[in-house]
Short mmCIF file of all heavy atoms in Angstrom, two decimals:
data_model
loop_
_atom_site.label_atom_id
_atom_site.label_comp_id
_atom_site.label_asym_id
_atom_site.label_seq_id
_atom_site.Cartn_x
_atom_site.Cartn_y
_atom_site.Cartn_z
N THR X 178 112.98 97.34 137.26
CA THR X 178 114.01 96.68 136.73
C THR X 178 115.16 97.55 136.34
O THR X 178 114.86 98.76 136.17
CB THR X 178 113.71 95.81 135.46
OG1 THR X 178 113.30 96.77 134.48
CG2 THR X 178 112.50 94.89 135.73
N LEU X 179 116.35 96.99 136.32
CA LEU X 179 117.48 97.75 135.85
C LEU X 179 117.35 98.23 134.57
O LEU X 179 117.90 99.46 134.11
CB LEU X 179 118.84 96.91 136.12
CG LEU X 179 119.99 97.80 136.34
CD1 LEU X 179 120.05 98.71 137.40
CD2 LEU X 179 121.19 96.83 136.72
N ASP X 180 116.80 97.53 133.65
CA ASP X 180 116.43 97.95 132.25
C ASP X 180 115.55 99.21 132.29
O ASP X 180 115.96 100.14 131.46
CB ASP X 180 115.70 96.89 131.46
CG ASP X 180 116.66 95.87 130.97
OD1 ASP X 180 117.78 96.07 130.71
OD2 ASP X 180 116.18 94.61 130.75
N GLN X 181 114.58 99.24 133.10
CA GLN X 181 113.76 100.45 133.15
C GLN X 181 114.57 101.59 133.71
O GLN X 181 114.29 102.70 133.27
CB GLN X 181 112.53 100.14 134.00
CG GLN X 181 111.53 99.19 133.46
CD GLN X 181 110.37 98.83 134.38
OE1 GLN X 181 110.54 99.04 135.66
NE2 GLN X 181 109.43 98.11 133.90
N ALA X 182 115.31 101.41 134.81
CA ALA X 182 116.09 102.48 135.42
C ALA X 182 117.09 103.06 134.36
O ALA X 182 117.18 104.39 134.23
CB ALA X 182 116.81 102.01 136.62
N LEU X 183 117.63 102.20 133.67
CA LEU X 183 118.55 102.69 132.61
C LEU X 183 118.00 103.37 131.46
O LEU X 183 118.58 104.35 131.04
CB LEU X 183 119.43 101.35 132.06
CG LEU X 183 120.75 101.68 131.53
CD1 LEU X 183 121.75 102.53 132.35
CD2 LEU X 183 121.38 100.29 131.30
N ALA X 184 116.69 102.95 130.98
CA ALA X 184 116.03 103.66 130.05
C ALA X 184 115.72 105.00 130.43
O ALA X 184 115.65 105.96 129.70
CB ALA X 184 114.70 102.87 129.71
N LEU X 185 115.34 105.23 131.76
CA LEU X 185 115.19 106.56 132.25
C LEU X 185 116.44 107.42 132.27
O LEU X 185 116.58 108.51 131.75
CB LEU X 185 114.60 106.49 133.70
CG LEU X 185 113.18 106.22 133.75
CD1 LEU X 185 112.88 106.03 135.36
CD2 LEU X 185 112.33 107.39 133.37
N ALA X 186 117.52 106.76 132.77
CA ALA X 186 118.83 107.52 132.84
C ALA X 186 119.31 107.97 131.49
O ALA X 186 120.03 108.99 131.42
CB ALA X 186 119.79 106.69 133.65
N GLU X 187 119.14 106.99 130.54
CA GLU X 187 119.79 107.31 129.23
C GLU X 187 119.22 108.55 128.49
O GLU X 187 119.73 109.01 127.56
CB GLU X 187 119.65 105.98 128.32
CG GLU X 187 120.58 104.92 128.66
CD GLU X 187 120.28 103.59 128.07
OE1 GLU X 187 119.22 103.40 127.49
OE2 GLU X 187 121.26 102.71 128.13
N ARG X 188 118.13 109.10 129.09
CA ARG X 188 117.59 110.31 128.43
C ARG X 188 118.44 111.63 128.86
O ARG X 188 118.08 112.71 128.38
CB ARG X 188 116.15 110.62 128.94
CG ARG X 188 115.20 109.27 128.58
CD ARG X 188 113.87 109.67 128.91
NE ARG X 188 112.88 108.63 128.72
CZ ARG X 188 111.60 108.79 128.80
NH1 ARG X 188 111.07 109.97 128.90
NH2 ARG X 188 110.76 107.73 128.84
N PHE X 189 119.35 111.33 129.78
CA PHE X 189 120.23 112.49 130.36
C PHE X 189 121.63 112.06 130.20
O PHE X 189 121.96 110.91 130.00
CB PHE X 189 119.83 112.62 131.76
CG PHE X 189 118.27 112.77 132.00
CD1 PHE X 189 117.47 111.86 132.18
CD2 PHE X 189 117.73 114.17 131.88
CE1 PHE X 189 116.05 111.93 132.37
CE2 PHE X 189 116.38 114.40 132.06
CZ PHE X 189 115.51 113.21 132.23
N PRO X 190 122.52 113.08 130.31
CA PRO X 190 123.97 112.79 130.30
C PRO X 190 124.23 111.90 131.55
O PRO X 190 123.73 112.06 132.45
CB PRO X 190 124.52 114.22 130.44
CG PRO X 190 123.59 115.18 130.00
CD PRO X 190 122.17 114.49 130.44
N ALA X 191 125.26 111.10 131.31
CA ALA X 191 125.70 110.16 132.34
C ALA X 191 126.11 110.87 133.72
O ALA X 191 125.97 110.31 134.72
CB ALA X 191 126.77 109.15 131.79
N HIS X 192 126.77 112.02 133.55
CA HIS X 192 127.22 112.62 134.77
C HIS X 192 126.07 113.28 135.52
O HIS X 192 126.21 113.76 136.55
CB HIS X 192 128.29 113.68 134.50
CG HIS X 192 127.82 114.87 133.54
ND1 HIS X 192 127.79 114.75 132.18
CD2 HIS X 192 127.49 116.06 133.83
CE1 HIS X 192 127.29 115.78 131.73
NE2 HIS X 192 127.14 116.62 132.79
N GLN X 193 124.85 113.33 134.99
CA GLN X 193 123.60 113.86 135.58
C GLN X 193 122.82 112.68 136.09
O GLN X 193 122.37 112.65 137.34
CB GLN X 193 122.88 114.68 134.64
CG GLN X 193 123.40 116.01 134.25
CD GLN X 193 122.50 116.83 133.57
OE1 GLN X 193 121.35 116.28 132.93
NE2 GLN X 193 122.76 118.15 133.28
N VAL X 194 122.65 111.65 135.42
CA VAL X 194 121.69 110.58 135.84
C VAL X 194 122.21 109.23 135.47
O VAL X 194 122.62 108.87 134.46
CB VAL X 194 120.33 110.77 135.14
CG1 VAL X 194 119.48 109.64 135.83
CG2 VAL X 194 119.74 112.05 135.42
N GLY X 195 122.38 108.37 136.55
CA GLY X 195 122.73 106.99 136.40
C GLY X 195 121.81 106.06 137.04
O GLY X 195 120.73 106.53 137.28
N VAL X 196 122.27 104.88 137.59
CA VAL X 196 121.47 103.96 138.16
C VAL X 196 122.22 103.54 139.48
O VAL X 196 123.34 103.57 139.76
CB VAL X 196 121.23 102.77 137.42
CG1 VAL X 196 120.45 103.11 136.07
CG2 VAL X 196 122.43 101.96 136.94
N ALA X 197 121.40 102.98 140.37
CA ALA X 197 121.81 102.32 141.51
C ALA X 197 121.48 100.88 141.48
O ALA X 197 120.32 100.43 141.16
CB ALA X 197 121.08 103.01 142.86
N VAL X 198 122.49 100.05 141.77
CA VAL X 198 122.23 98.60 141.68
C VAL X 198 122.30 97.94 143.07
O VAL X 198 123.37 98.11 143.74
CB VAL X 198 123.38 97.98 140.82
CG1 VAL X 198 123.20 96.40 140.83
CG2 VAL X 198 123.26 98.40 139.38
N ASP X 199 121.22 97.53 143.61
CA ASP X 199 121.10 96.86 144.90
C ASP X 199 120.75 95.39 144.77
O ASP X 199 119.81 95.02 144.02
CB ASP X 199 120.12 97.55 145.67
CG ASP X 199 120.09 96.98 147.05
OD1 ASP X 199 120.20 95.74 147.38
OD2 ASP X 199 119.91 97.87 148.07
N THR X 200 121.68 94.51 145.13
CA THR X 200 121.50 93.21 144.92
C THR X 200 120.10 92.64 145.41
O THR X 200 119.54 91.69 144.75
CB THR X 200 122.64 92.16 145.62
OG1 THR X 200 122.47 92.44 146.94
CG2 THR X 200 123.84 92.46 145.04
N TYR X 201 119.60 93.21 146.41
CA TYR X 201 118.26 92.73 146.87
C TYR X 201 117.16 92.89 145.95
O TYR X 201 116.30 92.16 145.80
CB TYR X 201 117.96 93.66 148.22
CG TYR X 201 116.69 93.09 148.90
CD1 TYR X 201 116.68 91.91 149.80
CD2 TYR X 201 115.49 93.67 148.86
CE1 TYR X 201 115.73 91.46 150.30
CE2 TYR X 201 114.32 93.12 149.46
CZ TYR X 201 114.53 92.08 150.25
OH TYR X 201 113.38 91.52 150.85
N HIS X 202 117.32 93.98 145.12
CA HIS X 202 116.14 94.31 144.23
C HIS X 202 116.41 93.70 142.85
O HIS X 202 115.50 93.51 142.18
CB HIS X 202 116.11 95.87 143.98
CG HIS X 202 115.72 96.52 145.21
ND1 HIS X 202 114.63 96.38 145.92
CD2 HIS X 202 116.43 97.52 146.02
CE1 HIS X 202 114.54 97.11 147.07
NE2 HIS X 202 115.65 97.71 147.20
N VAL X 203 117.65 93.34 142.52
CA VAL X 203 117.87 92.69 141.13
C VAL X 203 118.26 91.28 141.08
O VAL X 203 118.56 90.77 139.93
CB VAL X 203 118.91 93.56 140.41
CG1 VAL X 203 118.50 94.98 140.38
CG2 VAL X 203 120.28 93.34 140.88
N TRP X 204 118.45 90.65 142.24
CA TRP X 204 119.08 89.32 142.21
C TRP X 204 118.42 88.32 141.43
O TRP X 204 118.93 87.30 140.81
CB TRP X 204 119.33 88.80 143.64
CG TRP X 204 118.04 88.19 144.16
CD1 TRP X 204 117.12 88.94 144.77
CD2 TRP X 204 117.64 86.83 144.22
NE1 TRP X 204 116.09 88.03 145.08
CE2 TRP X 204 116.32 86.80 144.92
CE3 TRP X 204 118.35 85.61 143.82
CZ2 TRP X 204 115.80 85.57 145.02
CZ3 TRP X 204 117.66 84.43 144.11
CH2 TRP X 204 116.39 84.41 144.67
N TRP X 205 117.18 88.44 141.28
CA TRP X 205 116.26 87.49 140.48
C TRP X 205 116.30 87.63 138.97
O TRP X 205 115.75 86.74 138.44
CB TRP X 205 114.70 87.73 141.03
CG TRP X 205 114.39 89.09 140.86
CD1 TRP X 205 114.53 90.09 141.50
CD2 TRP X 205 113.71 89.46 139.55
NE1 TRP X 205 114.02 91.36 140.86
CE2 TRP X 205 113.55 90.94 139.66
CE3 TRP X 205 113.41 88.92 138.35
CZ2 TRP X 205 113.09 91.76 138.65
CZ3 TRP X 205 112.87 89.67 137.32
CH2 TRP X 205 112.57 91.00 137.48
N ASP X 206 116.84 88.80 138.61
CA ASP X 206 116.53 89.21 137.22
C ASP X 206 117.61 88.82 136.27
O ASP X 206 118.86 89.32 136.27
CB ASP X 206 116.51 90.76 137.18
CG ASP X 206 116.11 91.31 135.90
OD1 ASP X 206 115.94 90.55 134.96
OD2 ASP X 206 115.94 92.55 135.74
N ASP X 207 117.27 87.82 135.36
CA ASP X 207 118.42 87.36 134.48
C ASP X 207 118.77 88.33 133.51
O ASP X 207 119.77 88.19 132.65
CB ASP X 207 117.95 86.05 133.89
CG ASP X 207 116.66 86.23 133.12
OD1 ASP X 207 116.01 87.21 133.06
OD2 ASP X 207 116.30 85.20 132.40
N ARG X 208 118.08 89.57 133.33
CA ARG X 208 118.44 90.58 132.34
C ARG X 208 119.36 91.63 133.04
O ARG X 208 120.00 92.42 132.48
CB ARG X 208 117.34 91.23 131.81
CG ARG X 208 116.34 90.30 131.07
CD ARG X 208 115.10 90.92 130.46
NE ARG X 208 115.40 92.13 129.75
CZ ARG X 208 115.61 92.18 128.46
NH1 ARG X 208 115.66 90.96 127.71
NH2 ARG X 208 115.95 93.33 127.89
N ALA X 209 119.48 91.52 134.33
CA ALA X 209 120.22 92.63 134.98
C ALA X 209 121.73 92.48 134.72
O ALA X 209 122.36 93.62 134.65
CB ALA X 209 119.97 92.39 136.64
N PRO X 210 122.36 91.39 134.51
CA PRO X 210 123.83 91.42 134.28
C PRO X 210 124.09 92.21 132.89
O PRO X 210 124.95 93.04 133.02
CB PRO X 210 124.23 90.01 134.07
CG PRO X 210 123.35 89.32 135.15
CD PRO X 210 121.99 89.96 134.98
N ALA X 211 123.32 91.93 131.96
CA ALA X 211 123.47 92.71 130.73
C ALA X 211 123.36 94.23 130.85
O ALA X 211 123.95 95.13 130.34
CB ALA X 211 122.56 92.13 129.67
N ALA X 212 122.29 94.60 131.66
CA ALA X 212 121.99 95.92 131.96
C ALA X 212 123.23 96.64 132.75
O ALA X 212 123.46 97.71 132.50
CB ALA X 212 120.59 96.03 132.74
N ILE X 213 123.84 95.87 133.73
CA ILE X 213 124.89 96.34 134.41
C ILE X 213 126.08 96.62 133.44
O ILE X 213 126.71 97.68 133.54
CB ILE X 213 125.33 95.31 135.48
CG1 ILE X 213 124.39 95.38 136.65
CG2 ILE X 213 126.83 95.53 135.96
CD1 ILE X 213 124.57 94.17 137.67
N ALA X 214 126.26 95.75 132.48
CA ALA X 214 127.38 95.93 131.53
C ALA X 214 127.01 97.16 130.76
O ALA X 214 128.06 98.03 130.52
CB ALA X 214 127.44 94.77 130.56
N ARG X 215 125.88 97.46 130.27
CA ARG X 215 125.38 98.70 129.55
C ARG X 215 125.64 99.87 130.39
O ARG X 215 126.18 100.82 129.94
CB ARG X 215 124.00 98.49 129.03
CG ARG X 215 123.89 97.98 127.67
CD ARG X 215 122.43 97.50 127.33
NE ARG X 215 121.41 98.56 127.53
CZ ARG X 215 120.26 98.46 128.31
NH1 ARG X 215 120.11 97.26 128.80
NH2 ARG X 215 119.49 99.41 128.47
#
Side-chain angles (χ1 to χ4, degrees):
Chain X
T178 65
L179 205 50
D180 279 331
Q181 291 171 348
L183 200 51
L185 279 172
E187 282 166 350
R188 303 187 190 189
F189 305 91
H192 63 280
Q193 285 185 351
V194 187
V196 296
V198 176
D199 185 321
T200 57
Y201 189 76
H202 297 301
V203 307
W204 80 279
W205 60 273
D206 184 2
D207 57 356
R208 299 176 55 85
I213 287 174
R215 266 164 54 226

